[in-house]
């Protein structure tokens, strides 16, 4: 399994961000956004494929993956959308195609609708976009984050592995699961894991979901049909709100579509990108 590294750094308003670009500069830009509790690692194979014909930008949000984590850090969806807007400016991207998963979907939508970020097109993969969202476990942890932070490391590790593994329909390869949970297992990571859940708030989608009708760029919504985190019916609801949006159901995939059905998702994204030419 090839290692995934982010070689570039940017000191954002919410902490140092690790990022990278793949492909040749000057090609049509594509930006990939991960969700929670993941990192850009989930995009590794798809990013490498898209980079054959695009310049692909990947990044770990503050508080995630290889990016900085610290006590008191603002890792809310509001903060992440501001950081994303900063990065688009840093990269000199005036209208890239944006592909976003899970919480990254809300980050991309907020940047577009609230901060004036311009996109050429937008693809959303099982996004957090419509209320209500958040599982009973998610709400329990959010209300008791300080208690969970004190769990012994072995219990914390078991909880994180179980939670991350539940994002997959058929189940994750053990090596992939370990790579996904690794950023959360040391002392700094354990605190960061519960911090990002504690700061998740539905108001960040409430603020924008009535504005989805303003989206005028080509839009694709992909949804794993075995998603137990966010039910597939949300995909139909979202497509109905975004003018001209197209729904791409991904059979046999859970919430973590990039791992469950990478070929099918890559094919859908390549088809979408091809239609923009």
């Amino acid at each position: 399994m090839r290692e995934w590294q982010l070689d570039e750094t940017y000191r954002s308003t919410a902490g140092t961000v690790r990022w990278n670009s793949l492909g040749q500069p000057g090609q049509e830009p594509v930006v990939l956004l991960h969700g929670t509790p993941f990192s850009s690692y989930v995009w590794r194979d798809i990013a490498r494929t898209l980079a054959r014909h695009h310049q692909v930008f990947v990044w770990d949000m503050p508080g995630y993956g290889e990016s900085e984590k610290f006590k008191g850090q603002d890792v809310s969806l509001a903060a992440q959308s501001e950081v994303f807007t900063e990065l688009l400016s840093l990269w000199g991207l005036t209208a890239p195609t944006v592909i976003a998963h899970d919480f990254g979907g809300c980050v991309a939508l907020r940047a577009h609708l609230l901060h004036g970020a311009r996109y050429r097109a937008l693809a959303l993969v099982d996004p957090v976009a419509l209320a209500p969202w958040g599982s009973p476990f998610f709400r329990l942890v959010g209300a008791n984050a300080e208690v969970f932070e004190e769990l012994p490391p072995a219990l914390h590790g078991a909880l994180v592995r179980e939670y991350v593994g539940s994002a997959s329909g058929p189940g994750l390869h053990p090596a992939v699961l370990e790579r996904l949970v690794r950023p959360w297992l040391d002392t700094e990571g354990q605190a960061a894991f519960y911090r990002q859940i504690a700061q998740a708030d539905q108001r960040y989608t409430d603020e924008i979901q009535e504005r989805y009708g303003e989206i005028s760029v080509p839009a694709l919504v992909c949804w794993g049909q075995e998603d137990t985190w966010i039910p597939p019916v949300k995909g139909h609801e979202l497509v109905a709100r975004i003018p001209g949006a197209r729904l791409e159901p991904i059979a046999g995939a859970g919430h973590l579509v990039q791992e469950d059905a990478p070929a099918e998702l890559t094919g859908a994204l390549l088809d979408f990108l091809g239609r923009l030419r």
Side-chain angles (χ1 to χ4, degrees), residues 215-231:
I215 298 172
S216 60
V217 298
L220 173 70
V221 176
C222 300
W223 217 286
Q225 295 303 284
E226 305 302 321
D227 190 341
T228 59
W229 283 23
I230 310 177

Side-chain angles (χ1 to χ4, degrees), residues 36-38 101-102 126 134-138 157-173 176-178 180-181 193 197 224-231 252-257 259-260:
T36 183
F38 311 111
H101 175 242
D102 184 75
D126 295 57
S135 66
F137 166 80
F138 201 83
L159 183 152
V160 174
R161 288 183 179 90
E162 181 66 25
Y163 180 55
V164 170
S166 71
S168 169
L172 296 170
H173 187 285
V176 171
L177 176 59
E178 288 307 307
L180 289 173
V181 303
F193 179 79
I197 295 179
Q225 295 303 284
E226 305 302 321
D227 190 341
T228 59
W229 283 23
I230 310 177
H255 186 69
L256 202 51
V257 186
E259 301 294 343
D260 290 355

Side-chain angles (χ1 to χ4, degrees), residues 8 45 57 82 86 105 115 127 143 153-154 159 168 173 179 195 233:
E8 304 293 338
D45 293 330
F57 293 83
E82 292 174 4
E86 294 174 35
H115 303 303
L159 183 152
S168 169
H173 187 285
R179 180 62 174 78
R195 182 183 306 121
V233 67

Side-chain angles (χ1 to χ4, degrees), residues 65-79:
E66 297 180 27
S67 290
E68 188 177 13
K69 307 172 185 70
F70 57 87
K71 185 176 181 179
Q73 186 177 22
D74 186 353
V75 294
S76 68
L77 287 164

Side-chain angles (χ1 to χ4, degrees), residues 26-117:
Q27 298 187 111
E28 284 292 334
V30 171
V31 184
L32 302 176
L33 285 77
H34 67 82
T36 183
F38 311 111
S39 69
S40 62
Y41 178 76
V42 300
W43 287 116
R44 64 199 180 283
D45 293 330
I46 293 174
R48 289 168 176 145
T49 299
L50 297 181
R52 295 181 181 184
H53 301 290
H54 298 82
Q55 185 178 15
V56 180
F57 293 83
V58 294
W59 61 298
D60 285 353
M61 297 183 193
Y64 292 80
E66 297 180 27
S67 290
E68 188 177 13
K69 307 172 185 70
F70 57 87
K71 185 176 181 179
Q73 186 177 22
D74 186 353
V75 294
S76 68
L77 287 164
Q80 303 293 3
S81 61
E82 292 174 4
V83 171
F84 181 47
T85 307
E86 294 174 35
L87 285 170
L88 292 175
S89 178
L90 173 74
W91 296 330
L93 304 181
T94 56
T97 295
V98 171
I99 302 173
H101 175 242
D102 184 75
F103 266 31
C106 180
V107 172
L109 288 163
R110 288 180 64 89
H112 184 58
L113 294 169
L114 300 181
H115 303 303

